[in-house]
């Protein structure tokens, strides 16, 4: 069984170098991976504004990291 927490840690390691440290701690480290299905990963953030930032600025970077790690294009669902 694929471990979502471990997958998320691997994603963080991959994208950390591409994001300014303050942005990483503000937007990315606050994300909690909640669920993984066959084609979707659900990520939880603390605020609506965080959701907007992830969806508009960081979703593509996260998706690309997942493609690299899992050879699969997951849909991201960001919830508050």
């Amino acid at each position: 069984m694929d471990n979502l927490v471990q997958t998320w840690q691997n994603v963080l390691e991959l994208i950390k170098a591409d994001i300014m440290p303050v942005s990483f701690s503000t937007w990315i480290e606050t994300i909690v991976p909640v669920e993984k299905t066959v084609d979707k990963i659900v990520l939880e953030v603390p605020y609506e504004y965080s959701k907007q930032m992830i969806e508009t600025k960081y979703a593509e970077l996260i998706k690309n990291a997942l493609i690299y790690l899992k050879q699969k294009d997951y849909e991201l669902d960001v919830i508050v």
Side-chain angles (χ1 to χ4, degrees), residues 9 12-13 15 17 20-21 23 25-26 36-37 39 41 44 48 56 64 67 74 77 79:
Q9 289 302 316
L12 294 179
E13 288 299 315
I15 67 175
M20 296 293 293
S23 295
S25 64
T26 301
K36 181 172 97 45
T37 65
D39 58 355
I41 292 183
E44 184 178 32
E48 183 64 34
T56 59
N64 287 339
I67 290 169
Y74 286 98
D77 187 10
I79 61 171

Side-chain angles (χ1 to χ4, degrees), residues 4 7 10 31 37 43 48 58-59 65 69 72 76-77 79:
L4 177 58
T7 297
N10 293 338
I31 297 171
T37 65
L43 303 174
E48 183 64 34
Y58 299 109
L69 290 167
K72 182 169 177 60
L76 288 184
D77 187 10
I79 61 171

Side-chain angles (χ1 to χ4, degrees), residues 37-55:
T37 65
V38 173
D39 58 355
K40 179 169 68 171
I41 292 183
V42 180
L43 303 174
E44 184 178 32
V45 294
Y47 308 106
E48 183 64 34
Y49 188 71
S50 299
K51 176 181 177 183
Q52 293 171 8
M53 283 296 290
I54 297 304
E55 290 176 340

Side-chain angles (χ1 to χ4, degrees), residues 11 14 24 27 31 38 45-46 49 61 64-65 67 71 73 75:
V11 167
L14 274 178
F24 188 83
W27 305 115
I31 297 171
V38 173
V45 294
Y49 188 71
L61 186 62
N64 287 339
I67 290 169
Q71 285 76 52
D73 188 6
E75 174 189 342

